[in-house]
Amino acid sequence: MSTDIIIVSYQDEQELAQCVASIKQHCTDYNLIIETNTPENNRGFTKAVNDGIRKGKSEFIWLLNSDAIVKDSVTQQALIERFSYSSKIGVVGSMQIDPDNHDMIRCAGVDVCFPAGRHKGGLISMGHGQIPEKQRWQNFASVMIRRNILRTVGYPDEGMFLIYSDSSFCYSVREAGLECWYEPRSQIYHRLKASKNISEWHQKDMVAFMKKWGITPRPDGGFNYSDRFSKLDMFP
C-alpha cells in the first residue's frame, strides 16, 4: 500500500542523505516528502510535519527522523501489516536500534510521557522488545499513522513547537478510542540523541502540553493530573 514518508530536516544534510539512501534501498510504493527548516525560516518540527502531511494523500503516513536509517525491507511493511490486525489501530511505531551497537535497543516502546518521555530499551541478544504491544504513546522518530484518523483526532498540535506533540497526538488518538502500537519487526537505526535546541523550547512546549491536558504544578515540585489525563496515562 502507498505510504507518504515525511522527514523534517534541519541543518543535517549528511544524516538526511543517509536516511534517504536507506529509503531508496529498502522501501517500496512511497511518496517521499522532505520538509526543510532553516535558522531563517524555522517553522518548528510539528508545523513542518503537518505541512508534509497535507501535501500527501496516501493511506499511511510514515514520520521518520532525518537521522534515522531504515534497516531493511521489512521495516516499512511490518508497520503497514500491523494495521491489518484491527481497524482501531491508529498509530504504530518501530524498534529503534543503536547504529553503533546493533544489539542495543534504544527504544522498544515507551513508558510515561510526562514530565519527560521514557523509552523502553534492552538487548536483542537477551530477547528484549520482541513482543508487539499496545502503548500509551509513540515517539515520532519512526511512526506510521493511518491517514483517516486525522478526520477524528486532528493533526499534531502546533502549539508544541518541537517536543511533546508526539505524545500529545497519541493521547488524543487513544482518547478517541483508537490504539497506539509498538511493532518490533519494524526496525530503524537511531541514536535517540537530544533534539537540536531542545532546551530553548522545552519549557514552552511543556507548558502547552500541561494546559492541553489539565496538568498543574504543585508546591513540592510535583504535578496534579486531571482525571482526563490520569485515565489516559494508565497502561493502555
Side-chain angles (χ1 to χ4, degrees):
M1 294 184 181
S2 181
T3 305
D4 291 326
I5 303 178
I6 298 172
I7 302 173
V8 177
S9 173
Y10 181 79
Q11 296 185 310
D12 51 9
E13 290 79 6
Q14 183 175 352
E15 293 171 324
L16 177 64
Q18 292 174 336
C19 178
V20 171
S22 72
I23 292 170
K24 291 180 178 178
Q25 181 179 0
H26 297 302
C27 298
T28 59
D29 194 12
Y30 64 87
N31 174 33
L32 181 59
I33 300 170
I34 298 174
E35 293 292 325
T36 301
N37 283 331
T38 66
E40 298 75 26
N41 180 26
N42 188 356
R43 296 163 288 173
F45 174 78
T46 310
K47 186 178 189 321
V49 161
N50 289 345
D51 288 347
I53 290 174
R54 291 185 178 98
K55 290 177 182 176
K57 58 182 180 181
S58 300
E59 180 179 358
F60 297 108
I61 301 160
W62 185 8
L63 307 183
L64 190 64
N65 268 24
S66 59
D67 60 345
I69 296 174
V70 177
K71 180 185 175 187
D72 53 33
S73 60
V74 178
T75 303
Q76 176 191 15
Q77 192 59 35
L79 293 174
I80 294 172
E81 289 175 359
R82 176 51 52 186
F83 286 101
S84 68
Y85 283 78
S86 171
S87 60
K88 293 181 67 175
I89 298 175
V91 175
V92 183
S94 305
M95 176 188 289
Q96 299 171 43
I97 301 170
D98 190 289
D100 299 319
N101 179 357
H102 293 181
D103 190 38
M104 182 178 292
I105 305 171
R106 290 295 186 184
C107 183
V110 294
D111 198 352
V112 297
C113 73
F114 184 86
R118 293 209 300 257
H119 304 100
K120 302 173 185 177
L123 298 174
I124 292 175
S125 60
M126 295 294 290
H128 299 146
Q130 300 303 309
I131 300 175
E133 295 179 314
K134 283 196 290 185
Q135 303 289 307
R136 290 179 173 91
W137 60 289
Q138 284 288 0
N139 76 50
F140 277 3
S142 175
V143 66
M144 193 171 282
I145 300 167
R146 198 192 298 264
R147 180 176 287 275
N148 65 12
I149 73 169
L150 298 177
R151 294 195 295 265
T152 302
V153 302
Y155 287 69
D157 189 337
E158 295 178 13
M160 299 162 209
F161 183 87
L162 182 64
I163 57 175
Y164 287 106
S165 57
D166 50 5
S167 55
S168 181
F169 178 77
C170 291
Y171 274 48
S172 293
V173 168
R174 290 178 48 232
E175 190 173 43
L178 301 169
E179 298 172 352
C180 299
W181 277 78
Y182 159 70
E183 174 49 67
R185 293 186 304 125
S186 175
Q187 299 176 0
I188 64 165
Y189 297 119
H190 187 233
R191 284 191 176 84
L192 273 177
K193 66 183 182 180
S195 299
K196 299 177 180 67
N197 299 325
I198 194 168
S199 59
E200 176 185 353
W201 290 100
H202 181 274
Q203 190 65 30
K204 293 179 181 178
D205 288 353
M206 183 177 181
V207 168
F209 184 92
M210 292 172 66
K211 182 178 180 181
K212 180 169 184 174
W213 293 103
I215 301 171
T216 55
R218 298 198 309 255
D220 63 2
F223 299 92
N224 293 314
Y225 289 175
S226 65
D227 290 342
R228 176 189 178 209
F229 183 78
S230 295
K231 180 180 179 180
L232 291 167
D233 205 43
M234 293 187 295
F235 191 78

